[in-house]
Amino acid sequence: AVADKDGLAEAVWAEAVAATHEDDVVAAQQCLRRLVELRPAEHPLGVKGWDALFHLAARAGRMDEANLAVERLNHAASTTGDTRAAARAAMAEGTLAARSGAWAIADQKLRAARANAATCSEPQVQLDALIALAELALRADDRLLARERLTRAARLAERWCRPVSRGRARAMLALMAMNERQLEAAEAEARRAAEALALHPRDQAWATIGLIRATCAAVARQAPAARQWW
């Protein structure tokens, strides 16, 4: 019976991952809610399930659900001592703190998430934390630090085969270059971002990529290309 339940939980998690890749939010939520019913927060699959539910809820602005997920992740971290759970909990708390404008707390939590993720080989959490820390640096007008963090994130994402993170980091570097009126560098970074996200056409970074490519084409008087990206 235990083996059957383990197999069922693994299958539900696989379905959730597939639905997420297809941008089917409703199906992903259904699978994840079923997963956390099958596995408690202390279980590794439970941690993954609550972490994924947090990101879906936070993206949709459902803060009650996001806060519940954070509670479950913190419970898992405190009761098991699991560093992976601690990393994901800190990442979630840092995300919420940044959204509410609590910059110092966000910085503290995101640094903790990155440090914990590094000790337990959680590359995605490391990348998410590094990109979020770059956003904090930009908000503090420390463009040099932001660029260093984004460049590192892009390189690590390429090494770890994380195309979405690589594309998002490159898109942010492109936007920084455009804001500094370095259009050649902006277009180069936008092309790198587009290449990384070729298999993820619905990712949010495409809005930034399209804006930059359209602007660069317009400046170069390439009207057909500009219209295509607009």
Side-chain angles (χ1 to χ4, degrees), residues 36-219:
V36 297
E37 290 175 357
L38 289 167
R39 283 288 169 248
E42 298 83 0
H43 191 280
L45 277 178
V47 170
K48 289 182 178 181
W50 281 111
D51 181 59
L53 281 170
F54 166 80
H55 288 290
L56 288 177
R59 191 181 309 161
R62 298 192 303 271
M63 302 317 296
D64 286 346
E65 292 180 31
N67 287 324
L68 175 61
V70 171
E71 288 178 12
R72 294 292 187 270
L73 290 170
N74 274 321
H75 174 74
S78 62
T79 56
T80 66
D82 182 13
T83 310
R84 286 181 173 81
R88 291 171 187 262
M91 183 70 216
E93 289 179 315
T95 300
L96 293 183
R99 288 196 173 198
S100 65
W103 311 121
I105 295 174
D107 183 78
Q108 175 190 357
K109 293 296 184 179
L110 292 170
R111 287 176 185 273
R114 185 183 175 196
N116 281 326
T119 65
C120 62
S121 299
E122 279 280 4
Q124 192 57 60
V125 178
Q126 290 186 62
L127 292 170
D128 290 345
L130 193 53
I131 291 172
L133 285 166
E135 292 175 343
L136 291 185
L138 270 177
R139 187 171 293 276
D141 204 29
D142 191 338
R143 302 183 70 80
L144 178 60
L145 180 57
R147 185 174 288 105
E148 288 176 354
R149 286 172 171 171
L150 289 172
T151 300
R152 179 167 178 75
R155 290 173 178 169
L156 287 173
E158 184 170 13
R159 182 189 306 171
W160 293 335
C161 299
R162 294 294 195 279
V164 172
S165 295
R166 180 162 64 100
R168 290 176 181 176
R170 290 294 179 190
M172 289 179 66
L173 285 166
L175 187 59
M176 286 184 65
M178 190 174 76
N179 289 338
E180 294 166 357
R181 301 184 182 279
Q182 298 175 8
L183 294 187
E184 186 175 340
E187 185 167 18
E189 290 289 7
R191 287 181 183 276
R192 294 186 186 105
E195 177 185 333
L197 294 170
L199 297 179
H200 303 273
R202 296 182 181 180
D203 190 79
Q204 59 191 10
W206 278 107
T208 300
I209 295 168
L211 171 65
I212 293 166
R213 295 295 300 275
T215 301
C216 291
V219 170

